[in-house]
């Protein structure tokens, strides 16, 4: 039998694994719905705007880039930098529900900025999709939170199962729900692995 | 509803979503660290003969061969390679890749199978909605399970929070976790 002290510790772990991730979990649930029903909410449609601007500097340093981006309303994390033919430099930036493409025509001292704006479901789906330890500091902290979510979900599920065995071990309904879920998910994984 | 009934309901909801939570917890870590779990070893090779209709586009030809071979999956267009003799493409689904080499004149096909492995399949459930071309009805039921799981998770979360607030709430917990909640919202505004 599980000791009372162990039971209390596990209950605390279950509670403390879930509470820090409430906001993110809620976002995941809502945005997943928008992803599944993308056609109902126009989740992947974007409003596109293209502008052409004169360059005030030669854009040789990140400080000049930062100033240029701030002046022209481009934000987010850098996701791609490619040197195109004819000396054109392409940089892509992304944030939740928005993306930006900057084409730098160094020879002409001009730049073309393409902005794509999504609707509210697109922003929520953007929160769902942003990941990785790159980019400005808010993205790094967000990535740490995402790791906490991943670990918490696993801990939360395991401790939940232990608490169930303590509280409702003899409940037939609980066993049926548990085994039905297990058999279904195992069958899906097995089918995908074999076929 | 009495306390023990609330706990029971919360547990039932949790038991329904438990495997989904573990799969998604693991998958979130994999995505955040950009890990590649897919194996790339050919485990089986076989050959067959199919009917090749002349004049089909790459996409239509790939779909036609896939259907004749009875394979399940998508045919990503960026994997097409064609010359006057051979047409190579892939059929892919969350559990397996098939590399296919078709001889255009006789219709001889060589198929190499590359299973992705258990961890990759578990991770693949993150993106899986049951809608794989040529999938049997059984796999399509995943969409219902996924939808029910999201709903159950939401209900379970609300009941869990209610239980905490009503029976176990401590002010320091409220301040600490309320703070993390606010920090998360602020971060979402910034990113």
């Amino acid at each position: 039998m599980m000791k009372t002290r162990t039971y209390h510790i596990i209950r605390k772990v279950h509670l403390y694994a879930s509470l820090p991730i409430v906001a993110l979990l809620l976002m995941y649930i809502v945005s997943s719905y928008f992803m599944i029903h993308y056609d109902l909410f126009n989740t992947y449609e974007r409003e596109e705007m293209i502008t052409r601007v004169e360059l005030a500097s030669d854009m040789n340093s990140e400080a000049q880039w930062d100033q240029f981006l701030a002046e022209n309303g481009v934000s987010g994390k850098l996701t791609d930098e490619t040197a195109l033919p004819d000396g054109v430099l392409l940089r892509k930036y992304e944030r939740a529900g928005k993306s930006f493409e900057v084409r730098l025509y160094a020879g002409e001292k001009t730049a073309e900025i393409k902005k794509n704006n999504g609707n509210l479901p697109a922003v929520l789906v953007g929160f769902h999709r942003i990941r990785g330890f790159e980019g400005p500091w808010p993205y790094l902290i967000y990535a740490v939170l995402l790791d906490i979510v991943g670990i918490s979900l696993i801990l939360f599920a395991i401790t939940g199962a232990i608490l169930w065995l303590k509280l409702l071990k003899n409940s037939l309904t609980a066993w049926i729900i548990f085994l039905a879920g297990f058999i279904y998910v195992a069958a899906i994984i097995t089918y995908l692995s074999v076929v | 509803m009495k306390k023990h009934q609330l706990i029971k309901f919360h547990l039932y909801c949790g038991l329904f979503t438990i495997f989904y939570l573990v799969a998604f917890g693991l998958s979130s870590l994999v995505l955040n660290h950009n890990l590649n779990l897919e194996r790339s070893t050919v485990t089986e090779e076989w050959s067959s003969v199919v009917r090749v209709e002349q004049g089909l586009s790459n996409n239509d030809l790939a779909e036609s061969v896939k259907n004749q071979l009875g394979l399940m999956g998508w045919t990503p267009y960026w994997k097409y390679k064609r010359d006057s003799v051979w047409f190579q493409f892939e059929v892919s689904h969350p559990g397996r890749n098939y590399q296919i080499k078709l001889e255009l004149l006789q219709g001889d096909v060589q198929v190499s199978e590359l299973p992705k492995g258990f961890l990759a399949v578990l991770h693949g459930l993150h993106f899986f909605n049951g809608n794989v071309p040529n999938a049997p009805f059984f796999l399509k039921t995943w969409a219902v399970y996924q939808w029910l799981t999201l709903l159950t998770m939401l209900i379970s979360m609300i009941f869990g929070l209610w239980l905490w607030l009503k029976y176990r709430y401590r002010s320091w917990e409220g301040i600490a976790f309320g703070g993390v909640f606010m920090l998360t919202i602020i971060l979402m505004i910034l990113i």
Side-chain angles (χ1 to χ4, degrees), chain A residues 12-24 152 156, chain B residues 160-161 164-165 169 173-174 176-178 180-181:
Chain A
K12 284 279 179 212
V13 172
H14 187 71
L15 180 69
Y16 294 158
S18 60
L19 288 177
I21 62 170
V22 167
L24 283 169
S152 293
F156 183 60
Chain B
L161 281 173
W164 169 59
L165 288 170
Y169 178 79
E173 290 173 345
F177 296 118
V180 177
F181 187 93

Side-chain angles (χ1 to χ4, degrees), chain A residues 43-60:
Chain A
T43 306
Y44 298 119
E45 280 188 16
R46 294 284 184 277
E47 187 189 332
E48 192 177 274
M49 202 172 80
I50 300 174
T51 50
R52 191 133 185 154
V53 294
E54 299 283 326
L55 294 175
S57 63
D58 52 11
M59 306 287 277
N60 281 332

Side-chain angles (χ1 to χ4, degrees), chain A residues 52-74:
Chain A
R52 191 133 185 154
V53 294
E54 299 283 326
L55 294 175
S57 63
D58 52 11
M59 306 287 277
N60 281 332
S61 69
E62 279 308 308
Q64 288 173 333
W65 266 99
D66 290 343
Q67 191 185 348
F68 169 80
L69 297 175
E71 283 170 358
N72 291 286
V74 177

